[in-house]
Amino acid sequence: TYMADGEVFAVANALVDTVPVAPAVPHKDGYVFAGWEGMPEVMPDSEITVNARFDVSDTAEPETPAEGFVYRFMVSGELYCERRVPEGQAVTLPEDPFKYGYTFDRWDDVPETAEADAVLYAHFRPNTHHLLCLDDDIVICDLSVNYGDPVILPSELREKGIVAWDGLPAVMPDRDVVI
């Protein structure tokens, strides 16, 4: 269960021992989403509740004019924020959204000036981390793996007869892993 300001923001199901996928980022006027408190790296064998954490925004939201074009900024299918921009003025972008396990990349197709109502979508790229396999402090493999991708032992290790490795996660968490 994902909570924001004491209310249920979203409910999601996740399989045990998989990486939970956070929902779209909640919006709170005058604040910046700072992450999910209590988000486990891997889903335990019990229900969990995580809470949205907000920091005070260091940039004031621009005043909303009465006339102009409406720009809706979407994150993972959810409305992140909405701005009304007078015709011909620059479209002011909101603060970069947060999505657990990913890095914000860009908003798509942002016009230089307001010309028409539009819906703009956030694009993210998965965080990449290292999976370091050690045998008596000797590096056996050093892999770059994207967050959420399945972790598969390289064929070179399987050819050496290594078919399993203690501590090997099923999917890559949002951190480096040393096994």
Side-chain angles (χ1 to χ4, degrees), residues 4-153:
D5 277 345
E7 296 191 14
V8 174
F9 175 72
V11 176
N13 293 321
L15 297 174
V16 174
D17 295 330
T18 63
V19 177
V21 178
V25 175
H27 179 76
K28 182 176 178 180
D29 288 336
Y31 292 85
V32 176
F33 179 74
W36 292 105
E37 289 181 357
M39 175 70 89
E41 302 252 343
V42 176
M43 188 65 188
D45 189 16
S46 61
E47 291 185 10
I48 60 168
T49 300
V50 295
N51 294 292
R53 192 177 72 241
F54 295 95
D55 293 334
V56 175
S57 176
D58 57 356
T59 59
E61 288 288 323
E63 288 186 30
T64 303
E67 296 180 11
F69 297 109
V70 175
Y71 288 83
R72 289 181 176 85
F73 295 86
M74 306 294 287
V75 174
S76 299
E78 301 285 330
L79 181 65
Y80 178 67
C81 78
E82 185 175 285
R83 302 253 166 96
R84 184 174 296 276
V85 182
E87 184 174 359
Q89 288 195 7
V91 176
T92 304
L93 299 177
E95 293 184 36
D96 292 350
F98 172 85
K99 183 175 178 181
Y100 185 82
Y102 295 84
T103 300
F104 175 74
D105 189 39
R106 64 184 167 80
W107 294 103
D108 68 348
D109 302 325
V110 179
E112 289 187 28
T113 59
E115 304 162 356
D117 292 343
V119 177
L120 306 174
Y121 296 90
H123 291 267
F124 295 87
R125 63 181 182 279
N127 295 336
T128 301
H129 297 284
H130 285 276
L131 173 67
L132 191 63
C133 305
L134 302 177
D135 185 18
D136 292 327
D137 294 330
I138 297 171
V139 176
I140 303 298
C141 70
D142 183 359
L143 306 173
S144 292
V145 184
N146 288 339
Y147 163 77
D149 281 356
V151 177
I152 301 169
L153 284 175

